[in-house]
Amino acid sequence: MKKISKITKQKKNQQRYNVFYEKQGQDEFAFGIHEDLLVRFGLRKGLELSSEEVQNIEQQDAMYRYYTLTLNYLSYRMRAKSEIIEYLQKKEATEQDIAYVIERLQAEKLLDDVAFAEAYVRTKMNTSTNGPNKIRQELYQKKLTEQEVEQGLSHYTKEIEIDKLVKLIDKKVNASRKKSFKEHLNSLKQSLIQKGFTHDAIEIALQSIELSVDEDEEYEALKYQGEKAWRKFERKHEGFQLQQKVKASLFQKAFPAELIEQFINEKSMEEEV
């Protein structure tokens, strides 16, 4: 049996205490303990503890310490269960410690993967330009179940998705460009798919916007691409063959045939001068 000779408050952490044993008339440090556990176990000067009791106290203190660390980790934002487990593993918590923390947090309603999924989706809807498919991938990366993921995504309705798409498309489609309108539109569609928006929502959004080609802007983009192609091919070709190479390049970039002919005619006149 070990007799407690002294209990002092730690200087760096006012909620933790140092417990000392009496050994040959001297105070010898035994273990540290949180004040909640100090009260729970009724530790006081003169109390005698068996080795089994000390082992239990230290085990309970370790679990409580991981619990309080996790509370601080949760204070910044909500966390998924997998994030808590990963965090505690990095802190070298045992499986028993992790199980204790997870069970307690769930009992106290501080850890709930459904609530996390719902909050995560709402945040991403309001602060990012990501579509539902992208957010779905992110939630699966956090090891949520399919049911939890779908529950969270139920808040990202088709109406919200289309409304977000309309705003994104309207902003992007009217931006200055150096591609043909069709190529620009195809690139935009691909970009939106990569952001996680669904094909059907993209098509519905596009149909709701009055898209029209500004011919002057289209021709400026064609001239930019045409000049690049001309410089590229004139190193090895000239005359009719050069014109055909440039035409083919511009057709591949989805420019209108009449504008391509206009550009080729203008370039041909320049070459003759």
Side-chain angles (χ1 to χ4, degrees), residues 27 119 133 208 231:
D27 295 324
N133 287 340
S208 68
R231 289 193 298 271

Side-chain angles (χ1 to χ4, degrees), residues 13 18 70 104 115 135 161 164 169 183 190 197 199 205 226 228 233 238 243:
N13 189 338
N18 292 326
T70 307
R104 181 165 177 179
I135 297 173
E161 183 183 6
K164 186 181 285 288
I169 293 170
E183 189 175 22
Q190 188 60 39
F197 291 98
H199 289 271
K228 281 180 62 177
F233 293 117
E238 59 182 19
Q243 293 177 15

Side-chain angles (χ1 to χ4, degrees), residues 58-94:
E58 290 178 332
Q59 186 179 50
Q60 292 295 318
D61 184 64
M63 290 190 291
Y64 196 86
R65 186 154 30 90
Y66 287 123
Y67 168 73
T68 54
L69 281 172
T70 307
L71 287 181
N72 182 62
Y73 183 58
L74 281 167
S75 68
Y76 298 99
R77 66 169 175 82
M78 291 183 70
R79 308 282 179 175
K81 178 181 175 181
S82 64
E83 292 179 299
I84 298 295
I85 293 173
E86 184 178 348
Y87 171 76
L88 290 172
Q89 287 172 339
K90 288 180 179 178
K91 295 293 183 181
E92 300 182 347
T94 66

